[in-house]
Amino acid sequence: MTAATTNSGQGRDRGTGAGERRAVVCVMGAGSLRYAKACLASLIRNVAEPIELIVVTDGDKDVAAISAALAEVDAPRHSAWSVVGKAAVDAIAEERLAGQPAVRRFRNGHPCWRKITDPALVVDEGRPVVIIDPDVYFPNRFTFEPAPARGVLLMWQGPNCLLPQEVVETAFERQVALADHTDIGVAQVRGIDWAYLETLLVELGDAALPAWSMHVESIVWAALAMREGGGYFDPTAWHCFANSVSVRLRRKMGRDGVAMLRDLNLKSAKCLHAGGVAKNWLVDAERAGLFDHPADLTAPTPVRPYQPFTRQKFDRKFRLRAVAAKLGLYKLLAQ
């Protein structure tokens, strides 16, 4: 397996006992390090439970660059972490997904789609796993939520990003239930039902799925959520940055990124999914001392039930998007 690893020398428990390290997997390319290095450092610095961090990436150059970055941020702590290249995970997939050709094809679509498949491939079957985006920042001392016995835990966001339109339409036509408000900055699962995922991908279009669209990942997560159960993390603790109209207007008026993050009052946040433009503000916010005094957020927070995404809401959403485009609002608010 192409990987670079360092650990504390205390062993890396992979069983199911109470002393097991929490498996945390991040799928990313080395090009994300301009912000991901700060995010991974915040995880290592502030997590209050033993974790095994596994970064899944692309080729050998990515493995080397990410390993060097982790060695720098982890120098005082000697955490358990590894960096695994795609070729190594491909070999695992060929064996474990021999009966799921659509899943194997899906892995080779948009790189973001591997966030669904690869975490379950690089940990032992049945072992709980936390999946994080490279733009998730942990500003306070925290623990992850208790692992679900089954199902999927996802973050909550205001508008969903279930796109592209034609794939969502296909889901409704095939009567695939989708959860609304799903943000996939952080997810917790206990394995993937590969047989169901194979069926789902065939229903959604299989090889015809648009490999240019990272958002197909959200559609698949939303379907898995409704099929497997689970719920949303508490959105006050697991916070998703919303690039809303009001946010865009404030940026147009000259409010800088650090001030925008300060407005969020992150003292109650276990994490911030700094999606979109917000990821570019994290390093400046660190330098400005925004995260210098972390709060203690190690207590568990409640999980909320999933809300279904209805066909009526879907139709209304795209009608409004069409009107906004005709009025030029997207061009007006573009940065």
Side-chain angles (χ1 to χ4, degrees):
M1 179 178 292
T2 302
T5 305
T6 183
N7 62 39
S8 62
Q10 311 230 336
R12 296 163 67 196
D13 249 347
R14 299 186 67 84
T16 56
E20 179 187 23
R21 292 182 184 271
R22 180 92 69 150
V24 181
V25 178
C26 181
V27 179
M28 60 173 282
S32 300
L33 280 172
R34 60 187 175 84
Y35 54 85
K37 184 176 180 180
C39 291
L40 294 174
S42 74
L43 166 68
I44 292 169
R45 180 172 64 247
N46 284 325
V47 69
E49 61 180 305
I51 66 168
E52 178 188 4
L53 172 63
I54 306 169
V55 178
V56 177
T57 189
D58 299 314
D60 289 346
K61 289 184 178 179
D62 295 81
V63 170
I66 295 170
S67 298
L70 283 173
E72 288 181 11
V73 303
D74 188 47
R77 294 173 179 83
H78 305 292
S79 304
W81 57 262
S82 60
V83 185
V84 184
K86 184 175 183 295
V89 190
D90 288 345
I92 299 170
E94 285 301 308
E95 178 180 349
R96 287 182 54 183
L97 302 178
Q100 281 82 38
V103 178
R104 297 201 308 276
R105 282 189 290 271
F106 183 72
R107 285 192 64 248
N108 291 296
H110 193 283
C112 285
W113 301 357
R114 289 165 54 206
K115 286 165 48 189
I116 295 171
T117 58
D118 288 16
L121 293 172
V122 297
V123 302
D124 294 341
E125 290 191 67
R127 182 185 181 193
V129 59
V130 178
I131 304 161
I132 62 172
D133 268 354
D135 57 359
V136 172
Y137 193 93
F138 299 89
N140 296 299
R141 190 73 171 157
F142 80 102
T143 55
F144 291 104
E145 306 303 347
R150 64 162 293 171
V152 184
L153 303 183
L154 298 170
M155 292 179 68
W156 187 96
Q157 66 178 3
N160 67 52
C161 51
L162 298 176
L163 297 165
Q165 181 177 357
E166 58 270 21
V167 181
V168 183
E169 286 177 339
T170 298
F172 281 119
E173 289 166 2
R174 300 297 175 87
Q175 298 186 326
V176 175
L178 302 174
D180 199 355
H181 300 298
T182 47
D183 175 78
I184 39 72
V186 179
Q188 287 186 215
V189 299
R190 190 183 291 269
I192 294 291
D193 183 340
W194 300 116
Y196 172 69
L197 182 58
E198 177 78 8
T199 299
L200 172 65
L201 293 173
V202 171
E203 289 179 330
L204 293 179
D206 194 4
L209 285 168
W212 51 265
S213 175
M214 64 181 179
H215 292 298
V216 170
E217 178 201 351
S218 289
I219 297 172
V220 175
W221 277 122
L224 290 173
M226 294 302 286
R227 161 82 178 196
E228 301 294 331
Y232 303 106
F233 295 115
D234 181 347
T236 60
W238 301 85
H239 186 78
C240 172
F241 174 80
N243 195 24
S244 62
V245 170
S246 64
V247 166
R248 295 184 188 201
L249 287 173
R250 279 181 282 163
R251 288 166 53 207
K252 280 284 189 181
M253 295 171 65
R255 193 145 180 83
D256 67 35
V258 175
M260 300 292 289
L261 292 181
R262 188 175 284 114
D263 289 345
L264 296 179
N265 188 19
L266 295 172
K267 286 300 181 184
S268 64
K270 290 194 176 190
C271 87
L272 167 68
H273 184 201
V277 69
K279 62 172 65 73
N280 300 312
W281 306 335
L282 292 171
V283 174
D284 288 340
E286 281 190 334
R287 290 171 180 160
L290 190 60
F291 310 122
D292 281 356
H293 303 287
D296 185 338
L297 301 179
T298 53
T301 59
V303 172
R304 302 183 179 187
Y306 285 124
Q307 297 178 22
F309 185 49
T310 65
R311 182 64 194 246
Q312 291 78 11
K313 184 172 182 179
F314 166 78
D315 290 338
R316 184 170 66 251
K317 170 183 174 178
F318 282 97
R319 283 198 302 269
L320 290 173
R321 286 172 68 96
V323 171
K326 287 182 179 179
L327 293 175
L329 293 180
Y330 294 124
K331 289 182 180 179
L332 175 66
L333 296 173
Q335 297 296 315

